[in-house]
Amino acid sequence: MKSHVWRPLVVVLAVIALVLVAREVLVPADFGIGARGYMYGWHRAGNEQQWKDVKVKYKTAAFCKDCHPDKYDEMKESPHRNINCENCHGPALNHPDDPKSLTIDRSRELCARCHTRLPYPNSGRGVMKGIDPKTHNVGLDCVTCHWPHDPRKEGHKR
Amino acid sequence: MISRRSFCKKSLLIAGGLAIPLSCLELFDPKRLLAEKDEKGARWVFLVDTRKCVGCGFCVKGCKVENEVPYDANVTRTWVERYVVTKDGKTHIDSPKGARDGFPNKGIDIGHGKLEEIKDEDIEKAFFVPKLCNQCDNPPCVQVCPVGATYQTADGVVLVDRKWCIGCGYCIMGCPYGVRFFHPVFHVAEKCNFCYHRITKGMQTACVDSCAFGARRVGNLRDPEDPVTKVIMTERVNVLKEEYGTKPQVFYLGLSKEVK
C-alpha cells in the first residue's frame, strides 16, 4: 500500500464508506419507495400517517345535531338548510369540552358574502336574493331583522 | 513493463473493488417497487361545478382554519376566481385575498386597493371558478423535488413532508397551476392535500363541507358507485391545462374558455 496509485484509492474508499455510514445514520429507516414508484413515491413512509393524524377542526353539522337537535331541525326546514353550523359558529374544535372555543360571527360581512347583489346571470349568484349593503340598513347587523337559522322568521329583538 | 499475470491480477482487484461499493449503494429494488403497486384502495378526485359557485368564499375560510394557513397572510390552499367578460370582449379576473371574504363588491380588484367598476349592462357573462391543487396523476412538483419531500400516495394525493422539505422552491416553480406557496409559519412548501386527515377518516374535505351550494365535491374514482365518479364518467367534464400532460384529477363542470 505504499504505491502512489493505491493511496488515493484508499482515500476514495474511505469517503465512500463515510457517505454510506452518514446515510445510514441520517436517513430514516422508513425512507424509500412508495406505491407510485421512484419518480412519484420516493418519500418517508411515516409522513403519510402523520398527515392522517392531523386533528379535525370542523366537525360538521352531524356533530352538532346530537346536542342541538332543535337548532338542527330548524335549520333543515329553512332556506339556509345547506349551510353548515360551523360556517357561522366557527370550527367546533374541542367544543363542548371547551365552550369558549366557538367564535360566532354575526357580522354583516358574513351575510354579504352571498347576499350582496351581483348581476351575474351565468352563475348561481345571479339568482340569489341580494341587497346593496351600501344602502340596505347601513350600520345594523343582519341578525337584528333576519333570524339566521331561518331567514323567513324575525331576527333578534333589541 | 507490466507482466500479463500482474495485469490480470490488478484488473480483477480493481473490478472487484469497484463492485463492492456499488452493491452497498443499492437504493431501491425494482421488483419490490412493482409488487407494491396495487390498484386497490381509493383514487381521490375532485369535482367542481362552476355553474353552482356563488363566490361566497366559505370554502377558502374553512380551508384556512382547518389547515392552519395563516388567516391574514395572502396565501391560501384553495381560492375562488371571478371572471367578468364584458361585451367589448375583455375578460376581467380577480380573486381578492383568494376570496377569503367572498365577493361583497361589484368592482373588480385591480390591485393597490383599487376597484374597476363595470356597468351591469356591459356584462356579457360572469361566473366564479374555485381552484385548488389538481393532485395530478403526473405531478411535476413531485418529479422536481430533489429530496423526496413531495410525494404521491397510493390513493393519488400529493403530500408534502414538512420535516423533509428543504424549502428550495422547485415544486413552486414546477407547478403549472400555481397552487403551491411557502407556508409563512413552517417555512416549507405548502399546498392543498384534499384534507388528507379528513378524507382518510371517511369525512369530506373542509371546503366541501363549508360549500352550501354543492359546487365542490370529493370522490373516489376507483369506486364505480361513487356519485362523483358517475358524473365524471358520464358528463362533459373538463380539466385545467390539459396540454401540459399532468393529468389533473380536479374535474370541472361548466368550464369556460376564459378560464386558464
Side-chain angles (χ1 to χ4, degrees):
Chain A
M1 285 301 200
K2 288 253 168 77
S3 145
H4 68 288
V5 178
W6 285 110
R7 256 179 290 173
L9 190 68
V10 172
V11 173
V12 167
L13 287 175
V15 168
I16 290 173
L18 196 75
V19 167
L20 287 174
V21 169
R23 188 178 174 275
E24 198 61 39
V25 175
L26 293 174
V27 177
D30 61 345
F31 194 90
I33 306 290
R36 284 296 320 262
Y38 181 72
M39 192 183 271
Y40 300 122
W42 181 235
H43 69 293
R44 202 164 56 92
N47 186 244
E48 282 181 43
Q49 193 54 45
Q50 284 171 2
W51 276 113
K52 284 180 191 171
D53 292 341
V54 170
K55 209 163 172 279
V56 170
K57 292 167 198 74
Y58 282 94
K59 302 264 171 94
T60 77
F63 176 79
C64 313
K65 186 188 170 190
D66 293 339
C67 305
H68 307 282
D70 49 327
K71 306 267 176 18
Y72 182 86
D73 293 340
E74 188 186 17
M75 277 291 285
K76 282 294 158 227
E77 294 296 314
S78 99
H80 276 173
R81 68 181 75 86
N82 289 331
I83 301 175
N84 253 317
C85 312
E86 289 161 304
N87 277 10
C88 310
H89 291 266
L93 296 168
N94 289 328
H95 182 84
D97 297 333
D98 176 19
K100 278 182 193 155
S101 63
L102 283 188
T103 48
I104 306 175
D105 189 351
R106 296 187 181 86
S107 67
R108 271 172 81 84
E109 287 73 29
L110 192 81
C111 309
R113 284 166 172 265
C114 297
H115 292 292
T116 302
R117 178 108 189 88
L118 293 180
Y120 299 164
N122 320 88
S123 79
R125 185 67 169 255
V127 295
M128 290 210 52
K129 278 192 178 173
I131 49 104
D132 183 355
K134 287 195 192 98
T135 55
H136 185 89
N137 296 321
V138 182
L140 279 180
D141 280 346
C142 308
V143 292
T144 314
C145 307
H146 310 277
W147 179 238
H149 289 174
D150 188 346
R152 296 166 301 188
K153 294 178 187 168
E154 235 177 83
H156 294 284
K157 293 273 189 306
R158 286 257 163 159
Chain B
M1 201 57 187
I2 192 163
S3 72
R4 188 186 307 194
R5 177 179 290 270
S6 129
F7 173 75
C8 290
K9 243 165 109 178
K10 282 178 178 166
S11 311
L12 277 171
L13 251 170
I14 290 171
L18 283 173
I20 294 165
L22 278 177
S23 66
C24 295
L25 279 166
E26 193 217 274
L27 297 174
F28 67 95
D29 180 6
K31 273 185 205 144
R32 211 187 91 210
L33 192 157
L34 259 176
E36 282 182 1
K37 250 192 178 175
D38 70 308
E39 293 298 310
K40 279 172 275 173
R43 202 312 170 199
W44 300 107
V45 292
F46 214 86
L47 179 66
V48 178
D49 193 340
T50 58
R51 295 165 304 192
K52 286 180 180 165
C53 182
V54 304
C56 66
F58 271 128
C59 49
V60 182
K61 187 187 177 192
C63 170
K64 278 203 157 192
V65 175
E66 178 71 34
N67 295 300
E68 287 170 347
V69 179
Y71 197 69
D72 290 314
N74 205 10
V75 287
T76 172
R77 284 183 171 202
T78 183
W79 68 98
V80 182
E81 293 171 358
R82 164 165 64 182
Y83 289 75
V84 178
V85 183
T86 44
K87 286 190 175 135
D88 56 8
K90 277 190 194 139
T91 310
H92 308 261
I93 310 168
D94 74 340
S95 182
K97 287 213 162 187
R100 184 197 77 185
D101 305 317
F103 294 89
N105 214 311
K106 270 193 202 175
I108 303 288
D109 190 335
I110 49 170
H112 309 291
K114 281 187 206 131
L115 294 177
E116 184 186 357
E117 296 297 332
I118 293 171
K119 283 189 202 120
D120 291 4
E121 58 269 23
D122 288 342
I123 296 175
E124 181 92 34
K125 56 178 173 180
F127 47 88
F128 300 95
V129 180
K131 291 204 175 159
L132 69 162
C133 172
N134 286 284
Q135 315 291 353
C136 307
D137 233 21
N138 288 330
C141 58
V142 177
Q143 290 186 35
V144 299
C145 179
V147 295
T150 290
Y151 61 94
Q152 195 175 35
T153 60
D155 45 14
V157 179
V158 176
L159 298 175
V160 183
D161 188 340
R162 282 184 181 158
K163 210 178 144 197
W164 216 242
C165 176
I166 55 170
C168 69
Y170 282 176
C171 56
I172 297 172
M173 304 302 280
C175 175
Y177 304 97
V179 301
R180 282 176 162 265
F181 55 94
F182 272 119
H183 196 291
V185 177
F186 302 115
H187 302 293
V188 293
E190 174 82 356
K191 66 183 264 304
C192 160
N193 58 13
F194 277 5
C195 283
Y196 202 59
H197 59 298
R198 295 173 71 92
I199 55 173
T200 49
K201 288 185 185 81
M203 299 176 79
Q204 303 279 306
T205 67
C207 59
V208 170
D209 272 332
S210 40
C211 181
F213 301 90
R216 288 171 177 259
R217 292 162 85 183
V218 67
N220 173 12
L221 203 61
R222 294 215 182 107
D223 175 11
E225 294 307 308
D226 191 305
V228 172
T229 306
K230 280 183 178 166
V231 172
I232 291 170
M233 292 306 178
T234 57
E235 290 190 39
R236 286 168 288 170
V237 289
N238 215 331
V239 293
L240 297 172
K241 296 183 183 172
E242 197 184 5
E243 66 276 18
Y244 282 66
T246 55
K247 293 186 186 159
Q249 301 295 309
V250 173
F251 296 90
Y252 284 87
L253 279 165
L255 209 58
S256 183
K257 68 173 167 49
E258 287 82 8
V259 183
K260 286 162 219 121

